[in-house]
Amino acid sequence: RKIYNQTAVNIIKDKPIFGVGIGESVFHMQQFSSVKLWPWQIQPIHNYFLLAAAELGIPSALILLWIFFSLLKKLVPNIKYPVSVKLNTKYSIQDTENKESLYKFTLLTILISFIVLMQFDHYFYTLQQTQMLLWVILGLIAAEIQTKIIPLLK
């Protein structure tokens, strides 16, 4: 993984604005690697954000980072924690406010988990299934944040 990350840094240094192109980093691995890679060692960079910066350029990677962290920043204050939960009482999932808070907390947990996994894995960038999962979760978070903003605009 260290070699792949170093290769990504070398690509970013050489092509910082536009990168090498979407899906092209694997084809340029040997060219930018500091060691000789055998054919079975050539695979995508194992860091989502480095891979995005290498293929799309630094400006696009910064936009991706902004999307993730702005959603994270806006979601955290929207979570309302139950104020008076006693140890002897049951936590009622039927309560609408608690249900909404649980949903938002679940979305927050998934987003944080994704961001941590993205530091070690390229699947959110290279596989269609995980790309779809990522963008559906980001869409759900954006929709949840948007519902709180819309009444203020009316």
Side-chain angles (χ1 to χ4, degrees):
R1 292 179 192 267
K2 185 177 179 182
I3 292 170
Y4 298 129
N5 289 343
Q6 186 57 46
T7 303
V9 170
N10 292 341
I11 293 172
I12 294 166
K13 285 180 184 176
D14 190 58
K15 302 186 182 301
I17 304 300
F18 297 111
V20 291
I22 297 175
E24 298 291 319
S25 65
V26 174
F27 299 120
H28 297 283
M29 290 293 287
Q30 187 63 54
Q31 179 183 354
F32 291 99
S33 178
S34 57
V35 297
K36 175 156 178 27
L37 298 173
W38 295 96
W40 57 271
Q41 290 177 314
I42 297 174
Q43 52 184 297
I45 300 157
H46 284 67
N47 183 311
Y48 183 91
F49 301 106
L50 284 177
L51 181 57
E55 290 191 356
L56 303 172
I58 293 173
S60 299
L62 290 174
I63 291 170
L64 278 173
L65 280 170
W66 175 77
I67 289 171
F68 286 109
F69 289 108
S70 69
L71 288 176
L72 185 67
K73 181 182 173 186
K74 290 177 185 174
L75 183 62
V76 170
N78 282 332
I79 298 175
K80 294 178 183 145
Y81 301 98
V83 178
S84 61
V85 176
K86 298 177 183 175
L87 294 176
N88 296 334
T89 62
K90 292 182 180 179
Y91 179 73
S92 175
I93 197 67
Q94 301 300 324
D95 185 13
T96 308
E97 186 175 324
N98 287 337
K99 204 184 281 188
E100 186 177 324
S101 291
L102 182 62
Y103 175 66
K104 289 177 185 177
F105 185 73
T106 303
L107 289 176
L108 176 67
T109 304
I110 292 170
L111 181 61
I112 290 171
S113 300
F114 281 5
I115 291 172
V116 169
L117 285 172
M118 287 175 175
Q119 304 306 308
F120 309 104
D121 209 350
H122 59 85
Y123 292 145
F124 291 101
Y125 192 89
T126 57
L127 296 178
Q128 290 177 345
Q129 295 88 344
T130 49
Q131 287 176 5
M132 179 71 85
L133 181 64
L134 170 67
W135 292 103
V136 164
I137 292 297
L138 292 177
L140 288 172
I141 292 170
E144 195 59 38
I145 293 168
Q146 189 68 23
T147 57
K148 298 298 178 188
I149 296 172
I150 289 176
L152 297 175
L153 298 176
K154 292 182 180 180

